[in-house]
Amino acid sequence: MEKKNTGFDDIEKMLQEVGSKIETLIEKGTKVTGEASEEIEKKIKDLHKNKEKLEKEFQEKKAKFEEKYQSNSSTAKPFLEDSMTHFKQGVKSLVHAINEMLK
């Protein structure tokens, strides 16, 4: 029987995409020289820090959510589905912004 894909799985996949795009930026940044190189390196470091922060926060929120979900699943389910939709849209917007930055 196939495991049902949860919203957290989708978000985790999107975060992995963001991580791989940051790694691509790092590779491209190492090839640039001069003043642009310094600016790019700074932005890459900032993105890398933000990525790590997002991943850590995601794991913490996921654990809290799962704990609360188990205790309140019947009353919270409609609200959680709606919230998950909004959260996915936010992550998709982040991925889109990184794609635009790579162009």
Side-chain angles (χ1 to χ4, degrees):
M1 189 157 114
E2 189 175 320
K3 180 184 170 193
K4 184 179 177 187
N5 202 17
T6 66
F8 283 111
D9 293 335
D10 293 340
I11 293 166
E12 199 163 14
K13 182 180 176 183
M14 287 181 207
L15 287 173
Q16 288 172 348
E17 286 179 35
V18 169
S20 68
K21 290 179 191 280
I22 289 172
E23 295 302 320
T24 302
L25 281 174
I26 291 171
E27 288 176 24
K28 289 181 179 182
T30 58
K31 296 175 185 172
V32 177
T33 59
E35 257 182 60
S37 175
E38 293 174 17
E39 185 178 330
I40 289 172
E41 284 181 32
K42 183 182 182 294
K43 288 183 181 184
I44 288 171
K45 286 178 185 177
D46 291 343
L47 283 172
H48 194 65
K49 286 179 188 176
N50 288 338
K51 173 192 164 248
E52 290 172 351
K53 181 180 172 186
L54 280 172
E55 288 174 342
K56 182 179 178 184
E57 286 180 24
F58 173 74
Q59 292 302 326
E60 290 171 358
K61 300 287 183 188
K62 181 179 176 181
K64 271 187 181 179
F65 171 81
E66 288 174 348
E67 182 181 310
K68 286 184 180 183
Y69 181 78
Q70 294 302 320
S71 63
N72 300 321
S73 64
S74 63
T75 57
K77 191 169 184 167
F79 300 110
L80 294 174
E81 290 172 355
D82 196 35
S83 295
M84 187 58 69
T85 302
H86 295 295
F87 188 71
K88 284 181 184 179
Q89 279 300 105
V91 173
K92 285 180 184 178
S93 295
L94 178 63
V95 170
H96 178 70
I98 290 176
N99 281 335
E100 289 298 314
M101 193 168 86
L102 286 173
K103 292 179 183 178

